């Protein structure tokens, strides 16, 4: 085996093409590097977001700018222009676009081994929310199909509005349950509180489970142990209760949200006991007329 390996981007190991650009990948030893070519007018949120399904680019990029310029806009509101000769380390959670009339050519040393192609998957850190209507079968039998469908439709309308208000992304609706993901635990928790309160105004009870974990995201579907754990946490909740994992409890420290420890739970299909916390609900006051 030779002790010297030389490769060129002119003959890449892999090439990925997408709107207004392409990616060329080479692997040298244990390192995979990418050369990205982006034409003027390319923007991540326009050309890649619909493919990967995340609100922001959730891949960290470490690289060197060969030519052209591009803007990196982080979700915290900051922006920086990267130009020829700049070395950069861009954290996950950003948008980007080509600046000016010259193509952008970048060499990535980290973050190059992902595919911006339909059906591809990436791993992201996200907060998963599961909700479910308690006693829905009995309620449907008692109310009848027509009335129950109206209530369920109104509930899902409320959920969609609240997801938009708290920057959540709907993953799935299964029967009377909802799965969504959020950029922060605080957004997920506040959205869960609002969903529970909206449901109570319709005289239905919703239970919820919240967990933060690294998951696999593909075409806006989420997979992994963290997703299963969030579902099991929800299943342990009572009506109008929001249970969260110890991870979420710790990440929410410093917010105005408070919790009550519910103790140690053995969750179906999950190895080891887990300490769960109930999110304290604020006192609901009647609106004045």
């Amino acid at each position: 085996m030779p002790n010297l390996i030389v490769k060129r981007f002119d003959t890449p190991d892999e090439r990925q093409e997408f709107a207004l650009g392409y990616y060329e990948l080479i692997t040298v030893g244990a390192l995979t590097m990418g050369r990205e070519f982006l034409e003027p007018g390319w923007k991540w949120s326009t050309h890649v977001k619909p493919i990967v399904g995340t609100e922001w680019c959730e891949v960290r990029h470490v690289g060197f700018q060969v030519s052209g310029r591009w803007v990196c806009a982080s979700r915290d509101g900051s922006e920086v222009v990267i130009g020829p000769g700049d070395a950069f380390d861009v954290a996950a959670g950003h948008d980007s676009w080509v600046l000016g009339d010259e193509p952008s050519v970048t060499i990535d040393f980290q973050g190059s081994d992902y595919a911006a192609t339909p059906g591809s998957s990436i791993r992201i850190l996200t907060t998963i929310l599961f909700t479910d209507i308690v006693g829905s079968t009995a309620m449907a039998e008692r109310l009848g199909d027509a009335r129950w469908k109206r209530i369920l439709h109104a509930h899902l309308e409320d959920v969609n509005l609240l997801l938009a208000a708290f920057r959540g992304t709907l993953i799935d609706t299964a029967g009377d349950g909802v799965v969504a993901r959020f950029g922060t635990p605080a957004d997920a928790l506040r959205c869960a509180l609002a969903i529970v309160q909206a449901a109570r105004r319709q005289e239905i009870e919703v239970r919820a489970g919240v967990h933060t974990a690294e998951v696999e995201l593909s075409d806006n579907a989420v997979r992994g142990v963290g997703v299963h754990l969030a579902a099991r946490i929800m299943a342990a909740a009572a009506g109008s209760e929001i249970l969260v994992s110890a991870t979420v409890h710790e990440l929410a420290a410093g917010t105005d949200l408070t919790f009550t420890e519910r103790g140690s739970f053995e969750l179906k299909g999950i190895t080891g006991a887990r300490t769960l916390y109930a999110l304290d609900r604020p006192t609901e006051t009647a609106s004045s007329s």
Side-chain angles (χ1 to χ4, degrees):
M1 179 177 179
N3 56 14
L4 177 62
I5 301 173
V6 177
K7 290 188 176 181
R8 296 177 59 87
F9 281 111
D10 295 339
T11 54
D13 297 323
E14 184 180 347
R15 180 184 171 98
Q16 303 165 3
E17 296 187 2
F18 45 86
L20 297 184
Y22 60 83
Y23 224 86
E24 295 171 326
L25 297 168
I26 59 173
T27 299
V28 181
L31 179 64
T32 297
M33 295 179 286
R35 179 170 68 176
E36 186 176 49
F37 178 92
L38 301 174
E39 296 180 14
W42 179 90
K43 188 173 185 179
W44 186 92
S45 56
T46 300
H47 300 100
V48 181
K49 176 181 175 180
I51 298 173
V52 301
T54 56
E55 187 66 24
W56 302 89
C57 177
E58 298 292 351
V59 178
R60 178 188 178 193
H61 294 279
V62 179
F64 177 79
Q65 188 69 15
V66 178
S67 60
R69 296 188 300 159
W70 59 284
V71 178
C72 176
S74 299
R75 62 178 150 217
D76 63 6
S78 61
E79 290 187 7
V80 63
V81 176
I82 296 172
D86 289 339
F88 55 84
D89 184 346
V90 175
H94 61 270
D95 191 8
S96 59
W97 58 89
V98 175
L99 187 63
D101 299 326
E102 182 183 358
S104 169
V105 179
T106 299
I107 302 295
D108 271 353
F109 303 107
Q110 183 171 337
S112 60
D113 53 349
Y114 80 99
T117 55
S120 63
S121 64
I122 60 173
R123 293 194 67 81
I124 64 169
L125 183 67
T126 192
T127 299
I128 301 293
L129 166 66
F130 273 80
T131 71
D132 181 44
I133 297 176
V134 178
S136 59
T137 301
M139 185 175 295
E141 290 179 353
R142 177 169 54 86
L143 297 177
D145 287 344
R147 186 177 175 192
W148 171 244
K149 286 180 179 178
R150 287 195 298 270
I151 290 175
L152 183 58
H153 179 74
H155 171 64
L156 292 177
E157 280 189 335
D158 286 341
V159 169
N160 283 320
L161 289 171
L162 291 170
L163 286 176
F166 290 96
R167 295 170 291 278
T169 300
L170 180 66
I171 299 296
D172 191 21
T173 57
D176 50 32
V178 169
V179 188
R181 59 182 175 86
F182 296 80
T184 69
D187 281 344
L189 294 169
R190 291 192 172 97
C191 186
L193 281 172
I195 289 173
V196 168
Q197 291 173 352
R200 286 170 65 87
R201 287 193 289 272
Q202 292 195 63
E203 298 184 346
I204 57 178
E205 284 195 305
V206 165
R207 58 182 176 175
V210 183
H211 179 52
T212 299
E214 187 178 86
V215 302
E216 183 179 332
L217 177 67
S218 177
D219 295 332
N220 203 37
V222 288
R223 294 185 289 269
V225 175
V227 181
H228 296 297
L229 181 52
R232 297 307 184 195
I233 292 171
M234 179 206 69
S240 296
E241 185 175 47
I242 302 165
L243 289 184
V244 310
S245 64
T247 303
V248 171
H249 178 255
E250 292 175 6
L251 291 173
T255 69
D256 59 349
L257 300 168
T258 60
F259 302 84
T260 301
E261 184 175 336
R262 283 287 185 256
S264 183
F265 288 73
E266 295 284 348
L267 303 173
K268 183 179 179 181
I270 304 296
T271 303
R274 304 296 176 118
T275 300
L276 301 183
Y277 299 81
L279 177 61
D280 297 329
R281 288 193 292 114
T283 303
E284 297 180 43
T285 56
S287 59
S288 59
S289 55

